[in-house]
Amino acid sequence: MNHKFVIAIGLTIASLSFSTAIAQERREERDTKPQHKPPAKNPSAKPKPGHGQPNRPPQNRPPNRPGNQGNWPRPQPHPNQRPVYDGYNYPRIHQPRPGQIVIPRNRYWYPNQSYQFNGPQYSNLNYWQSSTFIYSGQTRRWNPADWRFAVDDSLIEIIFRSERISNSMRSSFESQASRNDVRSSLDGGKAWNRIQRLDQALEKLRYETGNVNERDLSSAVLDVLSLGRVLATTINRDNNVRRMVGGNWNDLQYELNELARYYGEASVQ
């Protein structure tokens, strides 16, 4: 009886050892086989329509700018029309020199481009060109390239053109007044003196532009506008004087009003 029991136990142990060996062999065989992984996605492949992110309409992107971003061509004025800077001001075409004192411009001023000059020579003046003019009986030099103060191009243009128109108006009026003895009348004598005073004030303003600071330049502008208003009352009251100044006064009045708007002052009417 004991002999049979020993044999049964031996068979059981042998069976368990055999099963363990087979299981170990299968596990080792499974570990040595290569594992099948899903194929890697191609990063350069574009997703098909309907998969992934929804389709978006193409965006309007600005073209690539060239590398020399600091050398863009600056805006240039049209020969017969003042350029507008963002609808508010002219562009500063001539940049200040290194170390030059800059007089801030009025960014809220914009040009009136609807006016047509009676004198076509005033439509396209090169106010940046070096020239000479008379102030206090002496010849003065106009050369913005040598100025101590950098002034806005639009203001330079108004001052330059106003002085030129004033010279023409004074010369024409004095010639006619001398022939017709206009100075003998009260209004004629006043017109003579006031035209000369305004012309001298504009010569002073042109002389000081670029050579004085912001406060002194503003003071010279206010003197010009004050004399312009006084002259306007005389011209409006005397038809004979009004006829002699003619289109020159219309052009000068327009420029004075542009100057008044630039400085936020009352107009010359």
Side-chain angles (χ1 to χ4, degrees):
M1 182 68 180
N2 290 335
H3 181 70
K4 293 181 180 179
F5 180 74
V6 171
I7 294 175
I9 292 175
L11 293 175
T12 303
I13 293 173
S15 176
L16 291 175
S17 300
F18 181 75
S19 299
T20 302
I22 293 177
Q24 180 68 23
E25 184 180 356
R26 291 180 178 177
R27 184 164 56 251
E28 291 177 356
E29 184 177 318
R30 183 177 65 249
D31 294 338
T32 56
K33 290 183 178 180
Q35 298 180 359
H36 298 282
K37 298 181 179 180
K41 295 183 179 180
N42 186 3
S44 62
K46 297 182 180 180
K48 296 181 180 180
H51 296 278
Q53 297 181 353
N55 293 330
R56 296 180 180 178
Q59 299 178 356
N60 295 326
R61 298 182 177 179
N64 294 330
R65 295 184 176 182
N68 58 341
Q69 296 185 9
N71 298 324
W72 287 100
R74 302 190 184 280
Q76 297 296 323
H78 189 275
N80 298 320
Q81 188 178 25
R82 296 176 174 181
V84 178
Y85 180 84
D86 292 339
Y88 294 100
N89 211 330
Y90 296 165
R92 185 187 288 277
I93 300 172
H94 304 95
Q95 298 300 309
R97 301 188 311 272
Q100 190 176 22
I101 303 173
V102 178
I103 296 180
R105 64 184 179 183
N106 182 359
R107 293 183 174 273
Y108 300 99
W109 178 86
Y110 58 93
N112 178 9
Q113 296 181 294
S114 60
Y115 183 79
Q116 297 293 329
F117 288 97
N118 293 277
Q121 68 272 20
Y122 303 127
S123 299
N124 185 24
L125 295 176
N126 186 0
Y127 54 88
W128 196 256
Q129 183 179 5
S130 178
S131 60
T132 57
F133 65 103
I134 303 298
Y135 170 60
S136 295
Q138 298 182 8
T139 300
R140 308 288 185 173
R141 188 180 179 211
W142 168 276
N143 187 11
D146 294 338
W147 286 349
R148 180 185 176 192
F149 296 87
V151 185
D152 184 19
D153 288 37
S154 56
L155 181 57
I156 296 174
E157 183 181 9
I158 296 173
I159 293 173
F160 183 86
R161 183 181 283 112
S162 298
E163 194 272 336
R164 292 285 300 273
I165 297 174
S166 176
N167 279 343
S168 296
M169 186 179 74
R170 177 185 56 78
S171 178
S172 176
F173 178 79
E174 289 179 352
S175 177
Q176 297 179 68
S178 298
R179 292 195 306 265
N180 301 324
D181 195 22
V182 173
R183 296 181 64 184
S184 59
S185 66
L186 180 61
D187 288 340
K190 288 182 178 179
W192 178 286
N193 294 331
R194 291 173 178 177
I195 287 175
Q196 287 190 337
R197 290 180 61 192
L198 176 59
D199 186 57
Q200 292 170 1
L202 282 168
E203 289 174 354
K204 178 177 181 289
L205 175 60
R206 180 178 174 183
Y207 172 71
E208 292 188 344
T209 301
N211 298 309
V212 298
N213 58 30
E214 181 180 4
R215 182 185 62 184
D216 292 340
L217 182 62
S218 175
S219 177
V221 168
L222 296 181
D223 289 342
V224 166
L225 295 177
S226 177
L227 292 171
R229 297 186 192 99
V230 173
L231 175 60
T233 60
T234 303
I235 294 177
N236 293 335
R237 186 169 56 234
D238 193 314
N239 292 331
N240 192 30
V241 173
R242 181 71 180 83
R243 177 183 55 80
M244 284 190 289
V245 295
N248 282 327
W249 171 245
N250 292 336
D251 292 344
L252 181 58
Q253 186 180 24
Y254 164 76
E255 287 298 319
L256 293 178
N257 284 330
E258 289 288 273
L259 190 61
R261 285 200 307 112
Y262 192 95
Y263 278 87
E265 297 293 327
S267 60
V268 177
Q269 299 181 353

